[in-house]
Amino acid sequence: MITVTVFNHAGGAGKTSLTLNVGHELALGGLRVLLIDLDPQANLTGWLGVDGVVREQTVYPVAVDGQPLPAPVRVHGLDLIPAQVGLAVAEGQMMGRVGAQGRLRRALQDVQDRYDVVLIDSPPSLGQLAILGALAADRMVVPVPTRQKGVDALPGLQGAFAEYREVRPDLTVALYVPTLYDSRRLHDREVLADLRAHLSPIATPVPQREAVWLDSTAQGAPVGVYAPGSPVHADIKVLTADVARAVGLTYAGSVA
């Protein structure tokens, strides 16, 4: 089992879309996939059409009390540990508990025979829940928008990674993923060139095709369910292959 945390402390980078759609594509390819929503805003949970979640179904009992992972929700061929707003309480409560930041990693060891890959959607912060997700990872995947704000966020990311490596010296970024890319814009092309000059390894940029992404989340379904065979679905297949190769997953493409 490989645990991959999708991480960026800045919002709007594409973490949740990447987690949801790469996870679904890997499941279509026959892998056993667990998604974990660590964001109290619960976008991953909502975008999969899951509602009515109570706090005990989230990672809250794991992080705060050291309990095993709760039973996942099964949706679109994926297992999901959902989130809800009450998960935010864990931020303060974890700070008073020794070893709390490593509890998700330990809990995942108990389910390693059930899954081929775990994808963790990290919150847009550098708080306790983000640390929980980072320290649980075998590999990190970092989406970076091809915008100036994406470049501006990089020093904060590098500083956070340096701190995490004091606890987990083996923690590495397996892949940087340029997102929201529009090749027609000079700015995007310049930022992409800058990212390629300073970051490695780096994925094929994910084009900005907002309509299908937004409509699929509104329908509570991955793109591969909402618009199979669409250009966006083709983009996701390329992205999934890049992620799988970077983190060491055997993935030959979906069977759908």
Side-chain angles (χ1 to χ4, degrees), residues 36-46 50-61 80-91 123 129:
I36 299 179
D37 192 348
L38 281 187
D39 187 353
Q41 297 178 82
N43 286 332
L44 176 62
T45 300
V50 176
D51 56 17
V53 175
V54 298
R55 194 169 68 179
E56 288 69 29
Q57 292 176 278
T58 75
V59 299
Y60 178 92
L80 169 70
I81 304 296
Q84 55 107 256
V85 67
L87 181 58
V89 178
E91 290 277 3
L129 290 170

Side-chain angles (χ1 to χ4, degrees), residues 51-137:
D51 56 17
V53 175
V54 298
R55 194 169 68 179
E56 288 69 29
Q57 292 176 278
T58 75
V59 299
Y60 178 92
V62 179
V64 174
D65 298 319
Q67 296 296 313
L69 283 173
V73 176
R74 187 72 176 169
V75 57
H76 293 302
L78 303 158
D79 277 3
L80 169 70
I81 304 296
Q84 55 107 256
V85 67
L87 181 58
V89 178
E91 290 277 3
Q93 296 186 348
M94 286 173 64
M95 294 179 68
R97 289 167 167 79
V98 175
Q101 296 166 347
R103 285 175 174 166
L104 179 56
R105 182 170 178 82
R106 292 191 291 273
L108 285 170
Q109 291 173 355
D110 294 333
V111 299
Q112 60 185 344
D113 60 336
R114 301 182 202 170
Y115 301 104
D116 300 302
V117 60
V118 179
L119 292 173
I120 299 174
D121 185 21
S122 182
S125 74
L126 293 174
Q128 296 295 305
L129 290 170
I131 299 171
L132 184 79
L135 297 186

Side-chain angles (χ1 to χ4, degrees), residues 16-42:
T16 302
S17 296
L18 189 158
T19 304
L20 189 162
N21 288 287
V22 168
H24 181 254
E25 200 63 31
L26 290 172
L28 287 178
L31 299 185
R32 301 169 299 168
V33 180
L34 173 66
L35 305 184
I36 299 179
D37 192 348
L38 281 187
D39 187 353
Q41 297 178 82

